[in-house]
Amino acid sequence: MESLPVHCPACGRDHAYITPVYPCPCGSPTAPPLMRGTPVEPITHRTWNDDWVSVRCTACGRRDQWPHPELCCPCGAVLRIPVRPVTPHGTTPPTAARPPGPSHIPLPRTAAHPRPSFRPMVIRTARDAVSAAALYLKWLGYHEVVQPEVRPASRIDLRASGLIAQVDSTTRPTALRDVECLWLNALNASVSGVLFSLAGYAEDARSRADGLAIPLFVMDLTGTPQPVNSPADELISTGP
């Protein structure tokens, strides 16, 4: 499986990134062609228009818009992976295709039965972000995941057996206040809390979440959450 080496300019960590694969309507796997040797770009402000990239299917030549590849570093930085532009005529190289399935979600080490590969949903709206987080919680093993039709004043987007979750779909990093409000809501309900964010977390928010043992996940527009702290890693490994 071919991967692209990625160096985080924020903390200096090195990663191996494998681009996600999407199904073309013709049935063939399709992936954005990554550019080697080009530095990644930290995302400090999101706009929906800039988060999409044109991809051409190598089998049928169809051109579609797919989420721009991103990598979430454990330091909290969200990195945009450079993509080779699609030419007006011709097709992308065959090497752009990758085997399906996210590569960065570890199988649970202590679960009785290994989970199947998580199948994400593409995020195009804030509502999609909540739906993607709900799918992920079900994949983790939570039952009766409920998504309210209207967001309550408590800002709790999802409820499950023994759990509440908040999904921050704004374009700014999730703030300390969001972490503390989630913790208080979870404490009052005697349940656990989980946070999902599209734009990452402020440094003080991450530090506070570590101290309160709140799992933090970052989602890119493919709808695949990635853990960014130890409580999140533990949740993936052990499940509910």
Side-chain angles (χ1 to χ4, degrees), residues 1-25:
M1 182 179 297
E2 185 180 357
S3 63
L4 180 74
V6 174
H7 180 78
C8 177
C11 68
R13 287 185 174 93
D14 291 317
H15 306 276
Y17 178 81
I18 299 176
T19 185
V21 172
Y22 308 96
C24 176

Side-chain angles (χ1 to χ4, degrees), residues 15-58:
H15 306 276
Y17 178 81
I18 299 176
T19 185
V21 172
Y22 308 96
C24 176
C26 75
S28 299
T30 305
L34 306 183
M35 294 181 64
R36 291 184 173 273
T38 303
V40 297
E41 175 188 354
I43 300 175
T44 57
H45 180 74
R46 282 190 179 280
T47 60
W48 288 102
N49 290 336
D50 293 339
D51 285 334
W52 301 90
V53 62
S54 295
V55 179
R56 192 185 302 278
C57 176
T58 59

Side-chain angles (χ1 to χ4, degrees), residues 10-235:
C11 68
R13 287 185 174 93
D14 291 317
H15 306 276
Y17 178 81
I18 299 176
T19 185
V21 172
Y22 308 96
C24 176
C26 75
S28 299
T30 305
L34 306 183
M35 294 181 64
R36 291 184 173 273
T38 303
V40 297
E41 175 188 354
I43 300 175
T44 57
H45 180 74
R46 282 190 179 280
T47 60
W48 288 102
N49 290 336
D50 293 339
D51 285 334
W52 301 90
V53 62
S54 295
V55 179
R56 192 185 302 278
C57 176
T58 59
C60 69
R62 179 188 176 99
R63 180 173 174 173
D64 282 308
Q65 294 292 313
W66 296 104
H68 199 297
E70 298 174 2
L71 183 145
C72 301
C73 182
C75 74
V78 182
L79 310 175
R80 180 171 286 130
I81 310 298
V83 173
R84 188 163 57 252
V86 173
T87 57
H89 302 286
T91 58
T92 54
T95 54
R98 299 285 184 269
S103 61
H104 53 274
I105 297 181
L107 289 175
R109 295 186 292 271
T110 59
H113 301 286
R115 302 186 190 104
S117 297
F118 175 64
R119 295 186 177 184
M121 63 171 288
V122 174
I123 297 175
R124 299 180 184 274
T125 65
R127 191 70 177 177
D128 288 343
V130 178
S131 298
L135 284 177
Y136 190 73
L137 291 176
K138 293 177 182 178
W139 177 79
L140 285 175
Y142 285 97
H143 301 288
E144 302 177 1
V145 179
V146 177
Q147 179 180 344
E149 290 295 327
V150 179
R151 195 181 199 194
S154 63
R155 302 179 65 191
I156 299 304
D157 297 290
L158 296 167
R159 296 181 182 273
S161 180
L163 178 86
I164 59 174
Q166 181 178 330
V167 182
D168 186 356
S169 58
T170 64
T171 59
R172 295 182 178 180
T174 300
L176 171 64
R177 183 176 181 273
D178 295 301
V179 172
E180 293 180 336
C181 286
L182 175 68
W183 176 74
L184 287 173
N185 280 309
L187 185 66
N188 290 334
S190 298
V191 296
S192 301
V194 178
L195 251 175
F196 297 87
S197 175
L198 279 177
Y201 299 88
E203 185 176 349
D204 56 353
R206 288 197 58 193
S207 177
R208 185 65 168 152
D210 289 342
L212 297 173
I214 295 179
L216 301 181
F217 293 89
V218 171
M219 293 192 296
D220 57 23
L221 295 184
T222 67
T224 304
Q226 300 184 50
V228 297
N229 65 351
S230 296
D233 288 327
E234 183 178 351
L235 178 59

